Amino acid sequence: MEQLSRDLALRIALASRILPGVDVPKLIGVLHEKVGSPLDDDKLKSITVTNLKTGIGSLDGEEDGEDIGIGLENIKLAVRYLWGEEDGDEGLPEIMPYKDGDIPESIRVAIASNSGRLLNGHFGSCIRFLVYQLSRSDMRLIDIRSTVEADSADDRNLFRANMIKDCHVLFVQSIGGPAAAKVIRADIYPIKEADVVDAVEKLTEFQQVFDAAPPWMAKALGKSAEERKRFSHQE
């Protein structure tokens, strides 16, 4: 495979993640076809939505690119990433000010996401984690953490787990066994949600768990051992 600079490789990897069925080698092939080789910054910045769409379509024999099964918004976002605009997702929610103690009896929740405020990411390939502080009656987005550096780590799953080690819960579309073990060892409780859902809607639903907190949540909320035992008996 062509030797790329770290920056170009990361940009292509980010774009590939949000193009279902188009892995990095396939995407590089499309880019070579459209802008030539070797790839460089100027060539990636010359990519347009139209030529990326038609290039991907040609992989499946859909020369006009109309039936490739990849949404136009995903293609637009992929182009922004190829251009080097890591924060090119215009649908990102706004981070709210927060300091420890602002939301009493709360936990911290990470959402694996590839676009906007959707819960639509797999642990090992999501573009970012949306981090929320959550209580029974309050919810606040306190951080957005890009996973771009994880691709160059020796242990990408451990790197990702360490990125959210201050969180108590992780929502993902999927996560493999070895990765889940690393998340659990970091005292993070992983929860799978197979469907693509709005993060706020999912968290609103999850707030009901506070009414009868399971032991792991009671511990995260700072409840005593006796209180945690009572919560467990109430389940």
Side-chain angles (χ1 to χ4, degrees):
M1 185 180 294
E2 176 183 354
Q3 290 297 311
L4 298 169
S5 70
R6 182 172 176 275
D7 174 63
L8 295 185
L10 288 175
R11 283 155 61 176
I12 293 170
L14 281 171
S16 173
R17 288 180 191 174
I18 56 169
L19 299 171
V22 183
D23 59 19
V24 170
K26 286 183 180 179
L27 181 54
I28 288 176
V30 169
L31 297 175
H32 282 160
E33 176 191 341
K34 294 300 178 181
V35 298
S37 59
L39 297 174
D40 57 28
D41 179 67
D42 288 338
K43 286 176 180 173
L44 288 192
K45 286 180 177 177
S46 72
I47 289 289
T48 66
V49 170
T50 297
N51 58 31
L52 182 59
K53 181 180 178 183
T54 56
I56 294 171
S58 68
L59 295 175
D60 297 321
E62 301 291 345
E63 295 298 337
D64 60 3
E66 290 300 321
D67 300 310
I68 60 176
I70 299 175
L72 184 59
E73 290 305 312
N74 280 42
I75 294 175
K76 288 180 179 178
L77 183 54
V79 168
R80 294 192 196 106
Y81 287 134
L82 291 172
W83 288 350
E85 298 176 6
E86 185 185 326
D87 297 323
D89 189 343
E90 297 175 346
L92 283 176
E94 181 181 357
I95 296 173
M96 304 298 290
Y98 176 80
K99 64 180 184 295
D100 288 343
D102 279 354
I103 304 178
E105 296 195 347
S106 63
I107 61 174
R108 192 160 294 176
V109 182
I111 303 285
S113 180
N114 286 323
S115 56
R117 65 178 196 178
L118 294 179
L119 195 178
N120 65 344
H122 297 208
F123 178 74
S125 63
C126 67
I127 290 173
R128 62 180 67 94
F129 292 109
L130 308 177
V131 179
Y132 288 84
Q133 197 71 21
L134 184 74
S135 71
R136 179 62 182 91
S137 59
D138 201 354
M139 179 190 314
R140 195 178 304 178
L141 178 70
I142 64 170
D143 202 6
I144 297 176
R145 299 174 187 173
S146 168
T147 62
V148 66
E149 296 294 332
D151 284 345
S152 58
D154 291 335
D155 187 330
R156 289 179 289 180
N157 287 330
L158 181 60
F159 189 97
R160 286 168 178 267
N162 285 334
M163 283 183 62
I164 55 172
K165 63 183 179 181
D166 60 329
C167 296
H168 304 98
V169 180
L170 165 67
F171 279 98
V172 292
Q173 272 203 299
S174 71
I175 183 170
K182 290 172 183 177
V183 168
I184 292 168
R185 279 198 294 269
D187 287 330
I188 305 166
Y189 190 83
I191 300 176
K192 293 181 184 180
E193 172 56 63
D195 296 328
V196 174
V197 296
D198 182 276
V200 171
E201 290 181 9
K202 189 63 188 178
L203 292 177
T204 300
E205 174 189 316
F206 186 67
Q207 283 176 314
Q208 298 174 23
V209 177
F210 282 84
D211 294 334
W216 65 266
M217 179 184 279
K219 180 181 179 181
L221 292 170
K223 302 295 183 183
S224 68
E226 185 61 32
E227 287 176 304
R228 296 202 298 272
K229 186 182 299 183
R230 187 175 73 251
F231 278 126
S232 179
H233 289 162
Q234 288 174 347
E235 285 188 290

